[in-house]
Amino acid sequence: MEQPHPSCRGAEAVLNLQSGSSISVAYHPLFGPHDDLILLELDEKLLPHILQQRVTLRGQPDEDAVLCTPSKTYGIKFVGNSNSVFLIPPSDHSILCDHNGKGHIQQASASVIKVAPGSMELVEVAPRLDKLRLLLSENPYRSGEVLQFEDVDGMEKCIAGLYTWDDLVDKVQASDEELRTGLIAFSAVEIDGYWRIVDEEYMGKLLMALFPSSVLNDWSLNALNENEVVRVLVQDGYPQKLAHHCLSVYGSKVGEGLNGSCLWSLDERRVCVHFAREILRGGKRKMESLMEEWRHKIPEGMQASFDMLEGEVLTEKLGVDLWVRAFSVSALPLTPAERFSILFKERSKWEWKDLQPYIRDLKVPGLSLEGLLLKYTRRIQPTLDAEPIFSAR
Amino acid sequence: MQIRIKCSCSEESCQEWAIVELQGAVEIQPSFQNSLHNLKIGQLCRPSSPENYTFTVGYHELTGSKVPLKKPFLVLKKKKTTNVEQQSSESDSPGAELEVVGIIRHRILFKTRPKALISKPQPVVKKKATATCSSAAIK
């Protein structure tokens, strides 16, 4: 009572302290550890996302939480501070008074609510899409599944290994946008509300059903009418969703046809790679035998060439013969450490031209491909004009 | 699981908090160990001329300045939600939620070692100004 105080107290008083004046700093009536108050260091550009409540923390109890904006994923790390960081809330801060209304005890000064031991920092990280792939591969869509579902009519479907979008958001540490991109990259499709990848053999059957129809109906593989294709495939007994999926996996939209239906062009590389993979699923092959069978399998009008198989096969010389076997980059882990570990288990030494297709898709925020090579490989170049060789670190 | 970070501050009107930061630690005299609520730590003063601040803690005076943070700090409050409350809001935040309660853009930073005051500074001392600044680490 003896000291009259201006109305301005709390953080405002500290921040707006006029020159030539002073304010006393005291412990708040509710001073304490307040572990529930956390400081989060945040880039200014992320602030709008926060204000519009588009930021979430994601992770299972056994994972380190990540922070996701609509398009990016950030790791969270605690950074300690050995200084004394006195945290001063604004004077009318209601959050602190909601315990029992005691917070408004006369504040004669700026009040320190807690001493912050440090703060949280954000580091952009790659989305954890390996987990997405793992979840999707638990129960891929296969032929014959439709029948199974009909057997359990009325009953709650057995949904083991099936995930809806919300389930995936719940389980995968990635932003919505990265999750969507990941689903496309893994060729997943939403069937009956669940995101699924489709068994490769099943996709092959769909493709094989498409080709005879295209010949029969005189369709051009560069301008397939979506409605017609889907209609024919559905007649053959394939679900509409998957007929459509077949077009998006092996082709791309090129425009609109006469009756408003989309036109699709089949991608030569993707179709050819499909057939090579199919052949090599039976084990390794001699180069000549592979090429011969491959050329035989692919549809009329398409040209198979061996460089289409970059990142799909490895070759090795045994005696005089060159052997080819499947080794697909799409099956390798997406985290660099695990990727390199598997690559060097596969081969202890890699030439750059062989290695490149197996690492070019790796994306680590803040680290270039050169950076990755430095971190995970040892580079040997016997002479200046020799091809560099990479081995494990 | 996912926890949405709630924010009820409207655009541009997040309440600003303040930080007073100093090297080392402020130690409380044992006799006040259990009654530090409302206990005065020191006097923050902004002398007229330069952009300096002084912070007088007991017989020590620190000199520092107001520094804008390179990146702002958000002050988040962790809240445990009961199931009843939960039903009305989004169903995807089980058990806990985080709410933005403030933002920090500046700190008053005292990074020098304290200067000892020879003469007694005002009656502040008498008024429980028991805090003494010690253990200032040399960096």
Side-chain angles (χ1 to χ4, degrees), chain A residues 2-3 10-32 34-44 47-48 50-61 67 81-96 98-99 105-107 111-113 119-120 122 169-171 176, chain B residues 1-28 35-51 53-55 57 66 69-79 90 92 94 98-111 127 131 137 139:
Chain A
E2 26 182 39
Q3 293 170 316
E12 313 90 300
V14 172
L15 294 169
N16 302 322
L17 192 62
Q18 299 302 309
S19 57
S21 58
S22 74
I23 181 179
S24 70
V25 177
Y27 290 105
H28 196 280
L30 296 171
F31 177 84
H34 291 286
D35 291 331
D36 54 343
L37 284 179
I38 302 160
L39 295 183
L40 175 68
E41 192 189 62
L42 195 75
D43 206 284
E44 197 78 47
L47 214 49
I50 292 274
L51 293 172
Q52 288 162 37
Q53 307 201 64
R54 292 186 303 212
V55 174
T56 55
L57 296 180
R58 293 181 178 171
Q60 298 292 303
L67 182 143
N81 188 339
S82 61
N83 286 356
S84 293
V85 178
F86 292 120
L87 203 55
I88 302 170
S91 55
D92 62 339
H93 200 62
S94 53
I95 291 287
L96 302 166
D98 59 10
H99 305 282
I105 295 173
Q106 174 246 344
Q107 286 186 347
S111 299
V112 174
I113 190 70
S119 58
M120 302 303 225
L122 299 179
V169 165
D170 228 42
K171 293 187 182 336
D176 286 5
Chain B
M1 64 190 252
Q2 74 166 338
I3 300 172
R4 190 164 292 276
I5 297 184
K6 287 177 52 173
C7 182
S8 43
C9 351
S10 56
E11 199 99 29
E12 307 300 317
S13 75
C14 225
Q15 273 198 309
E16 215 174 322
W17 289 41
I19 282 178
V20 171
E21 179 170 337
L22 44 94
Q23 271 196 22
V26 170
E27 279 181 7
I28 298 147
S35 57
L36 47 81
H37 294 149
N38 289 322
L39 181 68
K40 179 170 174 176
I41 301 168
Q43 189 76 14
L44 183 69
C45 179
R46 191 172 167 200
S48 41
S49 52
E51 273 301 289
Y53 287 75
T54 61
F55 192 34
V57 182
K66 185 173 170 183
L69 294 172
K70 276 189 241 94
K71 293 180 185 174
F73 282 132
L74 283 181
V75 186
L76 300 178
K77 189 172 165 68
K78 215 186 312 182
K79 283 181 172 174
E90 273 147 46
D92 55 5
L98 281 171
E99 191 180 352
V100 178
V101 296
I103 190 165
I104 301 171
R105 295 187 176 278
H106 297 93
R107 55 181 176 165
I108 316 286
L109 176 65
F110 298 95
K111 54 183 174 189
K127 222 184 98 198
K139 294 201 171 171

Side-chain angles (χ1 to χ4, degrees), chain A residues 269-305:
Chain A
R269 182 180 176 270
R270 274 181 267 167
V271 171
C272 289
V273 165
H274 164 79
F275 286 108
R277 284 170 66 104
E278 198 173 83
I279 297 166
L280 291 170
R281 224 173 288 151
K284 66 177 172 182
R285 296 291 281 270
K286 274 189 203 160
M287 177 68 97
E288 301 78 43
S289 128
L290 167 73
M291 292 308 283
E292 194 188 327
E293 188 176 343
W294 194 21
R295 292 208 177 97
H296 189 71
K297 275 199 153 188
I298 58 174
E300 197 105 359
M302 290 198 174
Q303 281 290 327
S305 93

Side-chain angles (χ1 to χ4, degrees), chain A residues 45 71-75 122-126 178 364-366:
Chain A
K45 67 173 196 275
S71 62
K72 287 195 166 129
T73 307
Y74 297 86
L122 299 179
V123 189
E124 193 182 336
V125 294
E178 289 161 328
V364 180

